[in-house]
Structures are given as C-alpha cells and as structure tokens.
Amino acid sequence: MSGSPTSQALQARCSLDIPTIDQNNATTISTVHQDIIETNILTRLDGPTLASVSCASTHLHALASQEHLWTNICHSTWPSTTSPRVRHVISNFHNGSRFFFSDAFPLATEPVASRDLSENFDLPSKLISAVDIYYKKELIFSKVVEAETVSAWFKCSPFRVDLLDPKEAVSTRIPHPDKDDTCRDLEEDMELSWILIDPIGKRAMDLSSHRPVTVNRHWLSGEVQVKFASVVGGGVIGAATELVQCEVVVTCGGSTRGEMHVREVSLLMENVDGMYLNGNDSLVILKRALDGKRGKGKKREVERKKEVENFLERKKERKERKSRREGTLDMLCVAFGVLAFASSASFLLLK
C-alpha cells in the first residue's frame, strides 16, 4: 500500500539518490556532473559541434575551450598536425589549437582590402604545408614541408610546392584503374586537405576543395591525375589576377603488384588567363587570403566547387574575348595590308 512504512522509506531513499525535476522549473546542463560532460560528451564531438556547444553558456564555454580537446580534434582532422614542427607552431597561436582549427577549417571568403600585387608589405618568410590524403576514409598520405620565401629564386620562379621528390613514390591500397569504375571511385572516395600555415603571422587556411574537381587517366602511361582546387581573391578587379586558383595535383601511377603509388603531390597558382604565377605574386595573394575573413565552414565543399566552376567560366570568357580581339586585329592587319598593296599598285599604274 502507498501509505505503508516500507513504501514511505523507499520514496525517501529515492528522493535522496535521484534528483527529481520540478515541472515548473527548466533543467540546465549544470545538473549533469562536470566529469561526465568533459569525459563522455565533449570528447566525442567534432570541431564545428564543439564550437557550437561553447556558445551555449558561460559554463560550457569554459569546458569546451580546454586546449587538449582542440588538440585532439586538430590531430584527428589533420593527422599531419601531429608533426613536432606543426605542434610547436600551433602552440604559439593565440588560444592555441582552438584558434588554429577556427582558422583552418572554414573557407577564406574575403581577403583583406585590395592591394596591387606590386605593393610592398610584410610577407611570410616561410610557409608550412601540412597535407593529408584519404581514400575510402583511410589515411594513405600525410606529410609536412616547409618552404622559404625570401630568396630571389623563389620570388622570380613559378610558384610550386612539391611534397615528393621526382623519384619518390608512396604505396597505397588503391587498385590500378583497369576500368573506368576506379576513376569514379577516386572522384567519390579520395579526400585531401592542404593546410597552409604562416608560422610568423600565426595564421592558417585550407587550400583544398576536399573532393576532387577532376580525375583524368592518361591513355598511354595509365597514370591517373587527380586535381583539387580552391579560388582566392587576387589583385585589381578586371585584372588577370582578380581571381586565382590554388591547384593541387595528385598523380598516381601503377606498380608491379597492381596497386597505385602516389608519385606527385604539388601546389600551383593559376590566374584566369591560364598563366601560372611566380613566387612573389603568389605570396602576396596567399598573404591576403591568410589575413582575410573566414566563412562559417558549412557546406564548404559545395561552396568550393561553385567557386571553381565560376573561375573556369571566367577563364573561358576571357579566353573567348581574347580570341575575338586577336581575330579583330588579324582582320585589321589583313585589311591594312590589302589597302597598302592596292595603294602601291595604283601608284605604280598611274606613274
């Protein structure tokens, strides 16, 4: 019976061990023990979700801002950040791994105020590239390279960052593309991140589209070229460098065992005229992109794809305009030549 001593004792014991919720009062996250939040909840979240949680309350902001949480997220998102050199650089960032993630994960949507490429301002003396490639969610390539940017050779030569030496190759589990299905698999299942880091300016950004924009197989050699890309703002509006494409090329070749080897991973900078930029111009554009505002990170692959499509359309339009101008000049030259010939012939006949 409800009024029995046994029943009353049980209710009293339950009221002490299990907190009851008043229907008239709203419950808060503070009712959950802090150790449970830190150990069993926050450690299971990805970066964007953890960032959202940190905005929910002052209490959660303090818990979600702990350095070890963001360090683990950076390492799981980009395994190349476990490199001692990159870890040291990240430790010098304001708010460490948390700021690094917020800088590198979303898109760089707006560069700093437009500057002419010839204008001199503080440029990075070094650039660090942290690159990770996945196939079917399995890490197949991870490497960090550091390039100096102050030599005359770098500034005058075409900008290019190579992660592998010409004779170097990295084995993978990707089957050799004997059929077109393998190329489609690469387009669907290969992912790449290229985090560019300015260790002096303490800024970072991702230059990759994450998914390939094109996958092509050479009909003779059988090598497969997978391209990733992103578009950043360049120079003056209307100029060839108004938009610049950061093009990442991954070349895979077959091996004697029937598996693919990664033989090239490189980064180049291309303007809308189809010309590759030199080191100095590329460095100015990358510096402006590093200092620019970041997007929210949502649907970033879709946004990157649209940006690349827009770049290719602009490139096509400029090429067509250039062809029309050259065609008009050719017609004028021919007309001028005919007129000059007719004038000379008339002069000789009338003489």
Side-chain angles (χ1 to χ4, degrees):
M1 297 178 60
S2 59
S4 65
T6 304
S7 175
Q8 293 175 358
L10 179 61
Q11 291 178 3
R13 189 164 62 246
C14 288
S15 65
L16 292 174
D17 296 341
I18 302 175
T20 59
I21 300 174
D22 188 347
Q23 294 181 353
N24 296 325
N25 296 325
T27 59
T28 65
I29 192 67
S30 59
T31 60
V32 182
H33 197 281
Q34 180 171 316
D35 290 342
I36 296 177
I37 298 176
E38 292 183 10
T39 306
N40 297 326
I41 298 178
L42 298 183
T43 55
R44 300 174 184 269
L45 303 181
D46 59 13
T49 307
L50 186 62
S52 299
V53 168
S54 68
C55 299
S57 68
T58 304
H59 178 61
L60 285 177
H61 177 78
L63 295 179
S65 299
Q66 298 180 76
E67 177 66 13
H68 74 275
L69 292 174
W70 290 100
T71 298
N72 292 337
I73 285 177
C74 286
H75 291 173
S76 61
T77 306
W78 307 296
S80 55
T81 59
T82 60
S83 161
R85 172 58 173 152
V86 176
R87 294 185 66 162
H88 175 72
V89 170
I90 293 176
S91 67
N92 292 323
F93 273 52
H94 176 66
N95 288 331
S97 298
R98 183 185 180 193
F99 181 83
F100 178 85
F101 185 89
S102 67
D103 222 22
F105 184 79
L107 299 177
T109 54
E110 294 182 22
V112 294
S114 180
R115 293 186 177 114
D116 189 276
L117 295 184
S118 61
E119 184 177 348
N120 293 321
F121 61 105
D122 292 335
L123 295 176
S125 59
K126 293 180 180 179
L127 287 176
I128 299 175
S129 295
V131 182
D132 299 290
I133 304 177
Y134 285 85
Y135 177 71
K136 294 184 181 296
K137 304 302 180 181
E138 179 182 347
L139 184 68
I140 62 172
F141 181 89
S142 183
K143 192 168 184 178
V144 174
V145 297
E146 185 169 353
E148 63 83 20
T149 62
V150 296
S151 67
W153 179 87
F154 172 86
K155 293 180 179 179
C156 298
S157 302
F159 177 86
R160 183 183 178 98
V161 178
D162 288 300
L163 271 63
L164 295 174
D165 295 330
K167 295 183 179 180
E168 188 177 1
V170 177
S171 61
T172 71
R173 296 183 180 179
I174 305 174
H176 191 275
D178 295 327
K179 300 179 181 180
D180 293 337
D181 291 344
T182 305
C183 291
R184 284 195 292 268
D185 288 343
L186 287 173
E187 189 170 358
E188 295 174 358
D189 298 321
M190 182 175 279
E191 300 174 64
L192 178 144
S193 64
W194 189 300
I195 308 300
L196 191 72
I197 308 170
D198 174 7
I200 306 301
K202 300 179 178 60
R203 297 301 302 267
M205 65 178 178
D206 194 346
L207 294 178
S208 174
S209 54
H210 298 278
R211 301 281 184 175
V213 293
T214 61
V215 178
N216 297 307
R217 180 188 178 194
H218 193 276
W219 65 273
L220 182 60
S221 66
E223 288 188 336
V224 179
Q225 190 177 73
V226 187
K227 288 187 178 181
F228 301 80
S230 64
V231 178
V232 296
V236 181
I237 295 176
T241 54
E242 178 184 353
L243 294 176
V244 175
Q245 179 176 251
C246 306
E247 182 180 287
V248 178
V249 179
V250 179
T251 302
C252 301
S255 67
T256 56
R257 295 185 299 178
E259 298 175 342
M260 299 289 287
H261 284 181
V262 177
R263 296 179 177 175
E264 177 193 7
V265 183
S266 58
L267 170 67
L268 305 96
M269 304 282 287
E270 180 188 17
N271 64 22
V272 288
D273 281 342
M275 303 294 292
Y276 289 104
L277 305 184
N278 62 30
N280 186 74
D281 291 348
S282 298
L283 193 61
V284 173
I285 292 171
L286 291 173
K287 171 63 175 176
R288 294 181 63 238
L290 283 163
D291 291 343
K293 296 180 180 179
R294 300 295 189 266
K296 296 181 180 180
K298 296 181 179 179
K299 299 181 179 179
R300 53 186 183 151
E301 294 179 15
V302 177
E303 293 177 13
R304 280 275 161 93
K305 186 175 182 180
K306 290 181 179 178
E307 290 177 352
V308 172
E309 290 174 351
N310 178 58
F311 175 86
L312 295 177
E313 185 64 26
R314 295 280 294 274
K315 183 178 175 181
K316 180 181 177 181
E317 292 174 357
R318 286 180 67 92
K319 185 177 180 180
E320 291 175 349
R321 286 200 301 267
K322 185 178 180 180
S323 297
R324 288 196 295 268
R325 287 197 301 268
E326 291 176 349
T328 302
L329 290 174
D330 290 341
M331 291 179 63
L332 290 174
C333 290
V334 171
F336 180 79
V338 171
L339 181 61
F341 176 79
S343 299
S344 300
S346 299
F347 176 77
L348 293 175
L349 290 174
L350 296 174
K351 184 176 179 181

